[in-house]
Amino acid sequence: MKVLAIDSSGLTATVAIVEDDQTIAEYTTNYKKTHSQTLLPMIDEMVKMVDADLASIDAIAVSGGPGSFTGLRIGSATAKGLGLALGKPLIHVPTVEAMAYSMYGCEDIICPIMDARRKQVYTGLYSFAYGEKEDGGLYDEPEFRILRPQTAVAVEELIRQLNIYRRRVVFLGDGVPVYREMLAERLEVPYYFAPAFVNRQRAAAVGTLGIRYYEAGRYENAAEFRPEYLRKSQAERERAEREENTVPQVRRMTKEDGAAVAEMEHQLFSDAWSEKSVLETLAQPNSICLIVEKAGRTAGYLLAYTAADEAEIARIAVMKEFQRQGAARALLTELETVCAPDGIRRILLDVRSGNGPARKLYEKAGFKEDGIRQRFYEDPVEDAILMSRDLPAVPTVNRAEISI
């Protein structure tokens, strides 16, 4: 398969022709001229240099954002125009993923950072891992893993997330020179910076990743293609921030969350669970582990175990700055949603007798007191109030009555 690759998402303009497992040609500039001046002449010069016929390409892979608004529009317009003229499909390759992919095989956390101004960066967290075979050996080809998908985030928040991971990090992108001093001051994990030949956008990486996406069916016709700005306008950004700050989002916990949950445990509880304990709970088939996020940050978590038709909450916590903002209620609501289809009819928990706010929360959520375990808690010693909530039965459906 042969693709034309285009990336004009940042200060660097880069184009390439990639065929199967080799780069036929690549033309990259990182100079002061605008992409409107350079992009088409670069494609034309590259095509002439290798006697290529654009009619012979199978698709056009284009860096679809995030990045510079103007740069993305120029790259998008160029790709769409060529796609329509040649009758070729377009492959939308996320900018930050392609940058990370250029660090192929790196087992450290790969953290591209593109300067989004206002002390924010476009970024994501990635790594390569060698999967284990059934015989205990390792697969030859590393697996590209997305630890955190691309997003716009404050640099301070990114640093906080990286410190929680406690893994070595490699940085690349035009945000490095802007925030290098800030990273040096606040990072608590080992880190280094990618060398010059891979520290900016590379069209060859866009093309190589584009071929993989095409083979997986991830492509579209030229008329449908739209870049992904992430921050489309000031008004939309402010509205999104308000909505994000208002509505907590709950998702299933992954093993990548283990370090963050363990850190919150140590901040909130005297009998904190270790990261190993959290991950062991996550690995159990009868566990339900949830994460609640707010304003782009991990706000809290819930750990529960199921047995027969009951689920017991073993741990539920919300960081202090997110308390009384609906995060705990969102966790309880999602737990009920997850439990109901599996035949869970009752949710159990216990709470310190002196924890008035938590007891009030559970009562509002429909939990009722069942009894007391005297002197159950330590540090300080305190009674445990046993509470439970019955879930409504889920109506069964006679599949024979369903017709399409």
Side-chain angles (χ1 to χ4, degrees), residues 69-81:
F69 292 174
T70 302
L72 289 175
R73 284 195 290 267
I74 293 170
S76 173
T78 302
K80 286 167 69 76

Side-chain angles (χ1 to χ4, degrees), residues 285-301:
N286 67 324
S287 68
I288 300 175
C289 304
L290 305 174
I291 289 287
V292 61
E293 295 177 332
K294 201 170 184 186
R297 293 180 55 187
T298 300
Y301 55 94

